[in-house]
Amino acid sequence: MATETVALQGELDFETAFDVEMRLEQAIGRADAVVVDLSGLDFIDSTGIGTLLEAHKAAQRQGTSLKLLPGKPPVQRVFEVAGLLDALPFAA
């Protein structure tokens, strides 16, 4: 089983979402499992959250396992406030 890790750095927002979306689509297309490492993110906004939600849906459609490695507390707080901690596949 091929696993690919996509490590995100800096900000995931309107400016960077398209590039991240392309990276995630490519990883989902070529791997059986994709790990998205959010530990390097300093900031995420609603566009970034939407990008991760879409990647989750795309992975489900393709039968690819997708896991998110939690980010720093301020990043995780955004998911918590948005009520998405249980909606996205965060690793323990």
Side-chain angles (χ1 to χ4, degrees):
M1 179 191 246
T3 300
E4 188 159 334
T5 299
V6 178
L8 302 180
Q9 302 288 321
E11 299 182 355
L12 178 48
D13 57 13
F14 183 78
E15 298 270 326
T16 61
F18 182 76
D19 289 338
V20 170
E21 181 182 347
M22 293 297 106
R23 287 174 59 197
L24 292 173
E25 280 182 15
Q26 290 169 356
I28 290 166
R30 66 179 169 243
D32 300 314
V34 176
V35 175
V36 184
D37 185 352
L38 304 178
S39 65
L41 281 184
D42 298 314
F43 176 81
I44 188 168
D45 70 2
S46 60
T47 306
I49 288 174
T51 299
L52 295 175
L53 286 168
E54 286 302 315
H56 177 51
K57 290 178 196 171
Q60 287 179 319
R61 283 192 300 271
Q62 289 205 221
T64 300
S65 167
L66 182 97
K67 290 284 181 211
L68 302 177
L69 298 182
K72 297 170 185 165
V75 170
Q76 286 305 108
R77 179 83 176 123
V78 173
F79 291 106
E80 182 183 338
V81 169
L84 295 172
L85 289 178
D86 292 332
L88 286 166
F90 282 99

